Amino acid sequence: MKGLVYGGGGERSWAEVPDVVIRDPRDAVIRIDAVTICGTDLHILAGHVPEVTPGRILGHEAVGTVVETGAAVSGLSAGDRVLASCISACGTCRFCREGRYGQCRGGGGWRLGHDLDGVQAEFARIPFADLSTHRLPRPVTDEAALMLADILPTAYEVGVLNGGVRPGDTVVVVGAGPIGLAAILTAKLFSPAHIVAIDKAESRLQAAKNLGADVTLTPEQVPLGSIRALTGGLGADVVMEAVGLPETFEMCQTLVRPGGRIANIGVHGKPATLHLEHLWTSDVTITTGLVDTSSTPRLLDMLVGGQLDVSSLVTHRFGLGEIMQAYDVFAQPATTGALKVVLTQ
C-alpha cells in the first residue's frame, strides 16, 4: 500500500509502505475513503513537533470503511462506514473516565500521525477502535464528516468551551484558517454580540465573514483600536489564538479585557512571552488544551440536524494519489485560497 511518509526536515513522500495489520485485539483496520490535511501536519513538517520521527505516516483525520476488527472490538463490523477521530481513547484510565481523552494515559491520546502511523494512506490501523471511531449515518457525506475528525471538536472544545463564550460577548479569533473558521462557526451557537476575525489572507477573512464574523481585520489594521471601539474601550471578552506563533499569542494578550479569557488553540513550536507585568492585576484567564473529541457525538447530531453547515470549509479536492500536490496547495493559502483540502480514493 502507499502512504504519505514524513522524511524529517520538511521532507515528505508518497511512498510504498508495509500493509497495516491488527496488532492489538482492540484495533480495527479501515480502508481510507476520504482524508484531509491539518495545519498540525504543516507544523510537523516545519519541525515544531519533534516527537514525530522520520518514517512516520502522517495524518489524523479520515473517513473510512472497516475491513477487519480485532477480537475485542464489539461495536464495529466489516463494511461499517466510520469517522476516525484524531484522538484515541483507552476508556479506562482516569482521564478517559472523565471524558478527557486527549490526556489518555492508557495508550491513547493523540497517536495517529504522531507516534503511530496515521491515516494519509490507503489503509490505516485504528487503536481502541470502539471508542476512537464513530459510525456515520447515511445522510452525512464523507466531506462533512471529515470536518468532525479534528477542526470542529478542537475549535468547539479548546476554543469556545474553554473560552467560556456567552451570549452578548465580543469574541476575537486570531487566525482564520480551518481551526479559526470552525471556532467562528461554533461560537455562533452561543449568540455573541460580535465576532472579530484577524488574519493576513484576504481569502480567509472573506471566508470568516461568510461564516459569521461581523468584523474582519488584518494585523496591520490596528486590531486593538478597532476592538476597543466595539467594546466601549474595554477589550474583547474572549480571544482565541488559532495560529501557534509567539507574536499572535502576544497579540491576544493586548486584545483581552480585564476579566476576560484567552483560549489558546494553536500548535506552538517556540516559546511565547507571557506578559504578566501587564496581566497580573487584570483577572485574565488563559486556557490551553489538546482536543478530547468528547463533543464529537453532539456535533455529529447537530450536523445531521442541520444546525451546522460545514460545506464552505472545503475548497479543494484531489485524488489520494495527488496528495503531494494537495500539500503544496494547502501550504500556500494566501495564493491558493485553500481552507480544507479533501482527498478521496
Side-chain angles (χ1 to χ4, degrees):
M1 71 174 214
K2 284 193 170 183
L4 194 285
V5 180
Y6 172 56
E11 296 296 321
R12 51 181 164 81
S13 61
W14 180 243
E16 288 289 339
V17 294
D19 291 342
V20 294
V21 295
I22 298 291
R23 295 185 180 180
D24 183 278
R26 294 165 292 182
D27 289 347
V29 172
I30 65 171
R31 176 190 182 273
I32 300 301
D33 298 325
V35 69
T36 185
I37 302 169
C38 182
T40 302
D41 297 320
L42 299 184
H43 280 285
I44 291 170
L45 289 167
H48 297 166
V49 189
E51 299 87 359
V52 181
T53 54
R56 179 69 60 227
I57 297 173
L58 298 184
H60 53 267
E61 304 168 88
V63 169
T65 301
V66 176
V67 296
E68 185 181 4
T69 60
V73 175
S74 60
L76 297 175
S77 301
D80 285 346
R81 176 171 163 260
V82 297
L83 170 68
S85 175
C86 65
I87 298 294
S88 303
C90 78
T92 58
C93 72
R94 170 183 170 175
F95 292 109
C96 284
R97 288 177 182 270
E98 296 174 353
R100 299 176 64 190
Y101 307 133
Q103 303 302 319
C104 175
R105 292 298 185 268
W110 175 30
R111 304 296 308 279
L112 296 172
H114 186 206
D115 58 3
L116 291 179
D117 283 337
V119 296
Q120 290 172 1
E122 294 175 319
F123 295 86
R125 178 176 71 93
I126 309 299
F128 306 114
D130 277 326
L131 280 173
S132 306
T133 63
H134 303 271
R135 282 190 290 186
L136 292 170
R138 188 177 300 274
V140 176
T141 66
D142 288 355
E143 282 192 2
L146 277 176
M147 303 305 105
L148 301 186
D150 183 353
I151 65 167
L152 261 295
T154 295
Y156 181 61
E157 294 173 15
V158 186
V160 175
L161 296 185
N162 278 3
V165 175
R166 296 177 293 210
D169 276 353
T170 293
V171 176
V172 176
V173 179
V174 179
I179 289 287
L181 295 174
I184 291 168
L185 184 62
T186 52
K188 285 177 57 183
L189 298 169
F190 293 83
S191 301
H194 299 288
I195 300 178
V196 181
I198 301 173
D199 200 279
K200 293 180 177 180
E202 181 56 40
S203 61
R204 292 191 164 186
L205 291 178
Q206 184 59 54
K209 189 174 294 185
N210 294 342
L211 285 169
D214 55 296
V215 178
T216 58
L217 301 167
T218 66
E220 294 75 30
Q221 290 176 313
V222 195
L224 177 59
S226 300
I227 290 159
R228 285 184 173 171
L230 279 178
T231 59
L234 292 178
D237 300 286
V238 180
V239 184
M240 302 183 204
E241 201 286 341
V243 182
L245 294 174
E247 53 266 36
T248 50
F249 182 74
E250 292 185 40
M251 178 191 294
C252 292
Q253 297 173 62
T254 71
L255 302 179
V256 68
R257 68 162 172 83
R261 288 90 66 195
I262 299 173
N264 183 83
I265 316 173
V267 178
H268 288 267
K270 297 179 181 179
T273 300
L274 179 62
H275 286 285
L276 284 175
E277 74 276 17
H278 301 305
L279 295 176
W280 75 278
T281 58
S282 298
D283 297 342
V284 169
T285 298
I286 299 174
T287 60
T288 66
L290 176 65
V291 64
D292 295 313
T293 66
S294 56
S295 68
T296 302
R298 176 167 294 187
L299 293 168
L300 182 57
D301 287 343
M302 286 193 279
L303 192 67
V304 173
Q307 295 169 291
L308 287 175
D309 182 1
V310 299
S311 57
S312 64
L313 291 172
V314 178
T315 56
H316 293 74
R317 296 165 179 86
F318 298 89
L320 186 59
E322 300 172 300
I323 195 166
M324 295 292 284
Q325 179 186 352
Y327 259 90
D328 292 338
V329 168
F330 182 67
Q332 300 294 330
T335 55
T336 65
L339 298 175
K340 291 298 279 186
V341 303
V342 169
L343 304 101
T344 56
Q345 71 164 333

